[in-house]
Amino acid sequence: MTDDQPRVLRLFARFVPGDLREPIAGDLHEEYVRMRPRRGVVRATIWLWWNVARLAITFRWERATHGRSLPPIADELRGFGSMWDGLRQDVVFGARMLRRQPAFTLVALIALMLGIGANTAIFSIVDGVLWRPLPYPESSKVISLGEQRPRENRLHGPVAPADFYDWRRDNSTFSAIAAVEPAAVNISGGAEPERLRGIFVTAGFLDVVGIRPALGRDFTRDEEIEGRHQVVILSDGFWRRRFGADPSIVGSKITLNEHPYDVVGVMPASFWWSTTPAVVLAYMTNAGDGSRAQHSMEVVGRLKPGVSFEQARADLDTIGKRLSEQYPQNNAAHFPHLSTLHASMVGDVKPALLVLLGAVGLVLLIACANVAMLLLARATSREREIAVRLAMGAGRNRLVRQLLTESVLLALIGGVAGVLAAVWSLTAFRALLPPGLLVLPGIAQVGLDTRVLIVALGVSIATGLVFGIIPAFAASGQRLASTLQEEGRSGSGGARSTRTRAVLVVAELALSLVLLVGAGLLLVSFRRVLDVSPGFESQDVVVASVVRSDPAPEALRFYETLLERVRKLPNVEAAALGTPLPFVDVGGRTGFRIEGRTTQSLVPVRARPRLVSADYFSTLRIPLVRGRVFTDRDAEGPPHVVIINSAAARRYWPDDDPLGRRIDVSFAAQPRWMEIVGIIGDVKHLGLELDTDPEAYMPLRQPPFGGMTQRLNVVMRTRAPVSTIAPTVRSAVNQIDRNQPVGTVSAMEDLIAASVAPRRLNVWLVIVFAVIALVLTAAGLYGVMSYLVAQRTREIGVRMALGATRSSVLQLVLRQAGGMAVVGITIGLVGALALTRFLATLLFGITTRDPFVYVSVTVLLGVVALLAAAIPSSRATRVDPMAALRT
Amino acid sequence: MAMTDVSILGEFEQVVLLAILRLGDDAYAVTIRDEILQCTGRDVSRGSIYITLDRLETKGYLKSRLADSTPERGGRAKRYYELRPRALEALKEGRRALVALWRGLESVLT
């Protein structure tokens, strides 16, 4: 660029009326040259660009609003203005064409609505959950800290309290680190007693998420100490609901778990932590005596300003290494593992969501192919119109532009319909959303916002261009003379157009097959998951969870009284107590030591502790493998006994008999040995598709840890429905303690169904998309076959006049359809083999190359293709030779 | 007759016409804008200057001529403006109307 001629000034000319262009560009240049020595080249150049842009906009605006006051831009400029006028003309003409062919328009719009609607809806979900930041300031700095145990194949497990203290004390890369645990507490006093969901958090948690209480203050480090820990921060919603938004609540006391708690603050309404907990309680940790064996804490931290994720990881690795040298017994086999909080929250659903996005993408491509075929058919019927335009001197570019404008217009109308369909389907989606998925970030806010609408608009325009470009070029590239010569004869299209159609149908068949194979694999996986036995008889089992805050002896007395009463309830065949219960509570793991084994073993010895009453196994009908179950004689005090599951027996006693061996979970100087008296079958605990962890069942009267008696579940075997059993259980609880609320009462079958609900939702969505794809493909094939038959009417007439039978004509036409189907299905099979590996993590009990699925899907698609082709083909056999030859 | 022929000028149109009048032979967009800034302290946008000049010319208040190019303008011509008699009439009429309205208000508004 020479000094004399900044390039921008030449560009400028495109936007300014001809006779003003010279002097204005000259003025700008003059000022630019004057400014350069004073302000420097950079600032002068910025000034010039800025003013050129402003002036260009001013003149465009001026022209648009007072068109007459400026001389028209010379057409040879082909500037923005003439394009705009042309566009307006194209749009008006296009709209007229669409109105004139309502059937075509309607069919195309339905295909577009399905394609764009599905994409808009799924995009808004994927965007809301995966691509939006968490609702915290600088949320990318919020890190989830877990424990990695390579030998147990666990990447990001919960953290032992003592490890948490060491991380918090010794790290240099986090501005705050805090632990969180879910809490369930009872509030009494005042209105009805109520069970609340909340979280226990250590001091500093609010610094990690970067949110201050709207009223009052945060917790202090002191309040982690027992005795001072009875402080609570209320959620905004709970504060409004229970206390009528009374600000004087801060500083007063409320009764939680029968104890007075000081309300020190109220959170802002925006506060979110995997749904909105009603109360935030201080985590009473008794700092110092934390265990390294029991892993229960979720730990989060906020990176210091300027510290990178890598630096934080290196920092924690150093601490982890030191701890594993210092405490080899507990820490030798695990290390800190960091991920962003967002990734750790959405990691599980990410593959499923991306698969859904892929599925709707395929649906949209199929819809595009369909509309492209419709446009091709229409272009054929408009051949003469286009030929006349060409003959009158219309440029080919001008024609392509006209045709593309029509298809984009069509796509935009389809896009509007699709967005409306998305609004409706998102409402349905929110209603169908399993509660288990409500903890996902952003899921509650999923809906249409500007961002989603912009994407929908972009997708619509792109769609219009994609499906319009082939027909537009095909139509405008026709040979003039031949078309005009075919006086009045119905359109023929020619070999090239036929080939284009065949390619589009083959593409649709291939894309459908990929989608159908994916849906088939997911459906079979889902069946396989449902076929998994939970390890107990889940039918006719009802669970009621009751949280009790008093210490072990009193709590046990309450629970045992309750159990007595529940047993006597009508319709209850058997009842028992247990915690944590399958499909109800998560529960943690604990390390343990085995009597007589060297403690230097690096293989971590860990099990999930369970506290159960004597008839727990018989009530749930969990099979006893060997030894005995608990009896009422397994009461307080020695001898302590324990029952392990088969998984524990297999893992820790692979070569010998565990019966009679003793284990200890206390790790105290004086071990509290428990004798293994029985081995029971494996029970699925958190999901049918998960492997069962080693478990250790302990009798109710011998709780190994203090807190375990505070949350017990009553399990009943009853033929009565939940709706009749629940009130009787509640009144039984009320008769013992008026202030004691009862949590949910649910049928075990429902709980198991809820555990597979996300998979069920995912499978159904993919199946819905696959069915849409199948219908669109069938419609496409039907359309193409109808076209081909119409095109060959004369030929068929000749054949029949020469003696061809109906069945030979049928064969002739079906062979053509069959050829396309075979090619499409073959390409689809190759595509499916390549693409279904992205499904691998979602499959269960089936490989991505399961022959059953591939064969049945191929047969299904083949049959549908045959049916779609059969109707037009049978029409071919009814061709009247005389009529065909006369036309 | 004269009253209906001279349509009322917008305030900014008057400003531009007065600036051109003050500049005499040297009135083109850059100097007009500078003159307005000097006299009134208003930093008006270039776009509105060009649009107003063009509009005034279309309405017959101004005539313009292209002058020779100079190197500092990158070889581009300069468009000088001068008032047509009609513009002078309109300015006088505007002034007369304003002065009439102002009369007797000095004590209130100074």
Side-chain angles (χ1 to χ4, degrees):
Chain A
M1 177 174 77
T2 66
D3 272 355
D4 296 329
Q5 291 288 347
R7 208 177 325 159
V8 60
L9 288 176
R10 255 171 281 152
L11 196 72
F12 177 66
R14 301 175 65 101
F15 295 95
V16 181
D19 53 339
L20 290 178
R21 203 183 303 147
E22 272 284 306
I24 296 181
D27 289 349
L28 286 171
H29 194 258
E30 182 184 326
E31 290 194 71
Y32 165 75
V33 169
R34 257 195 273 157
M35 183 177 292
R36 216 171 28 190
R38 277 187 290 128
R39 296 217 210 159
V41 177
V42 175
R43 289 182 64 181
T45 307
I46 292 171
W47 174 91
L48 184 64
W49 276 90
W50 167 240
N51 277 284
V52 162
R54 275 176 61 179
L55 282 170
I57 291 166
T58 307
F59 278 102
R60 291 313 336 137
W61 177 250
E62 178 68 12
R63 188 178 154 67
T65 49
H66 309 87
R68 245 166 18 88
S69 74
L70 286 177
I73 296 175
D75 274 341
E76 72 274 12
L77 259 181
R78 289 190 175 274
F80 188 72
S82 70
M83 234 179 94
W84 177 251
D85 290 344
L87 187 66
R88 207 169 48 189
Q89 205 181 350
D90 288 351
V91 167
V92 169
F93 185 76
R96 203 179 298 149
M97 292 306 288
L98 294 180
R99 255 205 319 271
R100 199 179 293 165
Q101 291 169 306
F104 157 81
T105 307
L106 188 70
V107 173
L109 283 182
I110 288 174
L112 288 170
M113 179 189 78
L114 291 172
I116 297 175
N119 274 275
T120 307
I122 295 299
F123 174 80
S124 70
I125 296 169
V126 173
D127 181 52
V129 174
L130 293 189
W131 297 330
R132 301 268 169 137
L134 294 174
Y136 312 125
E138 290 187 274
S139 63
S140 61
K141 287 183 179 294
V142 184
I143 304 296
S144 169
L145 297 90
E147 282 186 342
Q148 182 181 10
R149 301 195 207 109
R151 286 200 183 81
E152 289 171 75
N153 213 358
R154 277 170 74 87
L155 189 60
H156 200 80
V159 179
D163 292 342
F164 161 67
Y165 297 128
D166 290 338
W167 294 357
R168 178 163 80 175
R169 191 188 57 230
D170 297 341
N171 86 83
S172 58
T173 44
F174 287 89
S175 61
I177 286 191
V180 200
E181 235 178 77
V185 293
N186 303 323
I187 181 167
S188 52
E192 282 279 289
E194 196 179 340
R195 167 126 166 226
L196 302 174
R197 296 214 161 273
I199 46 175
F200 290 114
V201 305
T202 60
F205 173 76
L206 297 186
D207 294 327
V208 172
V209 295
I211 294 176
R212 305 256 49 90
L215 286 176
R217 63 170 177 86
D218 190 1
F219 299 138
T220 64
R221 198 61 86 82
D222 286 354
E223 285 160 347
E224 289 176 12
I225 299 164
E226 182 163 18
R228 294 185 210 167
H229 70 283
Q230 288 171 342
V231 285
V232 60
I233 301 176
L234 308 179
S235 80
D236 181 81
F238 178 65
W239 174 57
R240 289 177 194 281
R241 179 165 62 77
R242 178 113 187 172
F243 302 103
D246 175 11
S248 71
I249 193 78
V250 176
S252 60
K253 285 186 193 301
I254 61 174
T255 308
L256 296 176
N257 288 350
E258 313 279 316
H259 294 289
Y261 273 70
D262 286 317
V263 179
V264 299
V266 177
M267 292 305 287
S270 63
F271 174 63
W272 177 93
W273 181 262
S274 286
T275 75
T276 305
V279 284
V280 179
L281 301 154
Y283 200 126
M284 189 260 288
T285 57
N286 290 333
D289 70 358
S291 153
R292 276 182 211 281
Q294 221 194 346
H295 298 259
S296 57
M297 283 175 154
E298 182 179 356
V299 178
V300 286
R302 177 175 282 268
L303 294 177
K304 278 183 183 165
V307 169
S308 73
F309 183 83
E310 292 306 321
Q311 288 168 310
R313 179 150 63 191
D315 184 23
L316 263 286
D317 278 348
T318 313
I319 300 173
K321 213 163 284 165
R322 204 196 65 224
L323 290 178
S324 63
E325 281 158 16
Q326 214 169 335
Y327 310 99
Q329 189 179 345
N330 282 305
N331 285 39
H334 64 241
F335 320 98
H337 181 262
L338 271 55
S339 80
T340 66
L341 181 62
H342 190 259
S344 81
M345 280 177 163
V346 303
D348 289 346
V349 297
K350 197 170 175 180
L353 283 176
L354 293 180
V355 162
L356 282 179
L357 202 61
V360 291
L362 293 182
V363 171
L364 186 62
L365 283 179
I366 293 172
C368 281
N370 248 10
V371 179
M373 281 189 286
L374 284 168
L375 284 173
L376 269 180
R378 205 175 57 136
T380 311
S381 66
R382 281 172 72 179
E383 256 174 8
R384 279 178 55 79
E385 170 210 330
I386 290 165
V388 169
R389 281 162 164 253
L390 284 169
M392 303 281 285
R396 186 171 178 197
N397 284 345
R398 186 69 185 70
L399 260 181
V400 168
R401 211 175 75 193
Q402 162 72 47
L403 294 170
L404 276 184
T405 307
E406 279 183 49
S407 36
V408 171
L409 182 67
L410 190 64
L412 284 174
I413 300 173
V416 171
V419 167
L420 294 178
V423 171
W424 176 82
S425 48
L426 282 176
T427 315
F429 172 81
R430 273 190 292 265
L432 292 174
L433 198 64
L437 290 182
L438 280 174
V439 298
L440 290 174
I443 194 97
Q445 291 85 38
V446 159
L448 297 183
D449 55 13
T450 331
R451 189 153 134 166
V452 174
L453 288 176
I454 287 172
V455 169
L457 179 74
V459 167
S460 302
I461 292 174
T463 304
L465 293 176
V466 166
F467 70 63
I469 203 117
I470 296 173
F473 277 99
S476 63
Q478 57 181 292
R479 286 178 309 272
L480 253 187
S482 68
T483 310
L484 287 174
Q485 274 163 11
E486 288 175 34
E487 268 304 316
R489 197 175 286 165
S490 61
S492 61
R496 203 176 61 171
S497 170
T498 307
R499 201 164 53 236
T500 312
R501 277 158 225 258
V503 167
L504 287 169
V505 166
V506 164
E508 280 194 55
L509 286 162
L511 293 169
S512 291
L513 191 93
V514 172
L515 204 44
L516 285 169
V517 166
L521 290 172
L522 288 172
L523 184 63
V524 171
S525 297
F526 184 54
R527 291 297 326 166
R528 299 261 156 96
V529 170
L530 291 186
D531 286 344
V532 171
S533 159
F536 61 95
E537 285 181 31
S538 56
Q539 240 181 335
D540 300 329
V541 172
V542 172
V543 183
S545 55
V546 181
V547 170
R548 194 71 192 170
S549 49
D550 32 13
E554 289 83 355
L556 279 181
R557 209 170 303 131
F558 167 84
Y559 281 119
E560 287 183 331
T561 318
L562 177 62
L563 184 59
E564 283 306 307
R565 292 191 182 223
V566 168
R567 279 207 179 108
K568 292 192 186 107
L569 290 177
N571 296 324
V572 172
E573 290 169 28
L577 295 166
T579 189
L581 215 61
F583 301 99
V584 179
D585 318 292
V586 181
R589 301 173 178 219
T590 181
F592 64 89
R593 53 183 165 179
I594 301 169
E595 192 180 26
R597 287 218 188 150
T598 48
T599 50
Q600 270 70 29
S601 161
L602 286 183
V603 179
V605 182
R606 242 182 280 282
R608 295 190 174 272
R610 307 261 179 269
L611 194 65
V612 298
S613 67
D615 28 21
Y616 179 81
F617 301 107
S618 61
T619 305
L620 281 178
R621 298 188 185 153
I622 301 170
L624 177 71
V625 179
R626 301 187 43 220
R628 67 169 176 92
V629 292
F630 295 138
T631 69
D632 289 333
R633 287 193 306 279
D634 298 316
E636 294 88 350
H640 298 296
V641 291
V642 63
I643 293 175
I644 59 171
N645 67 354
S646 304
R650 273 196 310 274
R651 185 176 302 175
Y652 302 124
W653 290 272
D655 306 319
D656 48 353
D657 186 359
L659 285 186
R661 305 293 171 127
R662 299 204 297 171
I663 63 170
D664 169 48
V665 296
S666 70
F667 288 97
Q670 279 294 314
R672 181 178 170 278
W673 292 114
M674 301 183 287
E675 185 187 337
I676 299 172
V677 295
I679 304 167
I680 52 108
D682 288 342
V683 170
K684 295 289 177 184
H685 190 76
L686 288 178
L688 293 174
E689 44 198 292
L690 301 175
D691 290 336
T692 302
D693 284 329
E695 292 176 327
Y697 292 81
M698 283 153 263
L700 193 61
R701 296 282 185 88
Q702 301 177 2
F705 310 110
M708 283 191 94
T709 54
Q710 298 195 342
R711 186 199 165 121
L712 274 167
N713 303 283
V714 184
V715 280
M716 292 154 272
R717 187 162 284 283
T718 170
R719 292 200 180 276
V722 176
S723 53
T724 56
I725 205 80
T728 59
V729 173
R730 286 181 200 279
S731 74
V733 169
N734 264 332
Q735 281 165 22
I736 310 171
D737 183 347
R738 190 164 296 282
N739 278 332
Q740 174 66 46
V742 180
T744 49
V745 181
S746 343
M748 184 55 82
E749 293 279 89
D750 294 342
L751 295 171
I752 294 177
S755 79
V756 297
R759 182 180 276 277
R760 182 193 305 267
L761 181 69
N762 191 40
V763 169
W764 279 113
L765 286 174
V766 174
I767 288 179
V768 165
F769 298 143
V771 168
I772 292 176
L774 192 60
V775 170
L776 288 175
T777 303
L781 188 62
Y782 171 85
V784 166
M785 288 315 293
S786 303
Y787 167 80
L788 289 178
V789 167
Q791 199 195 6
R792 295 176 73 175
T793 302
R794 274 162 66 84
E795 178 207 330
I796 293 169
V798 170
R799 282 170 186 264
M800 290 183 82
L802 292 176
T805 62
R806 291 192 165 210
S807 69
S808 68
V809 168
L810 190 67
Q811 263 182 29
L812 177 78
V813 179
L814 281 182
R815 202 177 303 139
Q816 204 167 6
M820 290 189 283
V822 167
V823 176
I825 287 174
T826 309
I827 296 174
L829 285 173
V830 174
L833 285 172
L835 287 174
T836 45
R837 62 198 161 91
F838 294 112
L839 281 179
T841 54
L842 299 178
L843 300 185
F844 180 82
I846 186 174
T847 68
T848 56
R849 308 194 162 187
D850 185 77
F852 169 75
V853 169
Y854 279 77
V855 169
S856 17
V857 161
T858 304
V859 170
L860 173 69
L861 191 59
V863 168
V864 168
L866 191 69
L867 289 177
I871 302 168
S873 306
S874 75
R875 203 180 298 144
T877 64
R878 287 194 298 272
V879 166
D880 174 4
M882 289 316 290
L885 290 174
R886 228 176 277 127
T887 49
Chain B
M1 181 66 193
M3 288 292 294
T4 48
D5 188 39
V6 179
S7 55
I8 292 165
L9 289 170
E11 188 263 354
F12 188 62
E13 288 175 328
Q14 291 193 38
V15 169
V16 171
L17 289 177
L18 288 169
I20 295 170
L21 210 50
R22 292 172 66 86
L23 287 163
D25 289 347
D26 193 31
Y28 67 103
V30 177
T31 52
I32 295 170
R33 189 170 168 277
D34 288 346
E35 186 69 19
I36 294 173
L37 181 64
Q38 289 282 325
C39 296
T40 68
R42 278 162 71 175
D43 192 359
V44 295
S45 79
R46 286 171 183 76
S48 54
I49 297 271
Y50 290 120
I51 297 286
T52 307
L53 286 172
D54 192 66
R55 198 175 291 154
L56 288 170
E57 189 172 9
T58 313
K59 288 187 192 170
Y61 291 109
L62 289 178
K63 61 181 171 195
S64 67
R65 65 186 162 85
L66 284 176
D68 294 342
S69 60
T70 58
E72 71 161 359
R73 297 174 57 83
R76 291 188 171 88
K78 197 185 277 189
R79 187 178 287 271
Y80 284 111
Y81 290 90
E82 80 185 83
L83 267 61
R84 284 180 188 276
R86 197 173 132 71
L88 219 50
E89 286 299 312
L91 280 174
K92 282 180 189 164
E93 175 54 30
R95 181 171 191 279
R96 192 200 62 77
L98 280 176
V99 168
L101 284 167
W102 271 104
R103 201 162 291 142
L105 292 178
E106 288 81 358
S107 58
V108 188
L109 290 164
T110 50

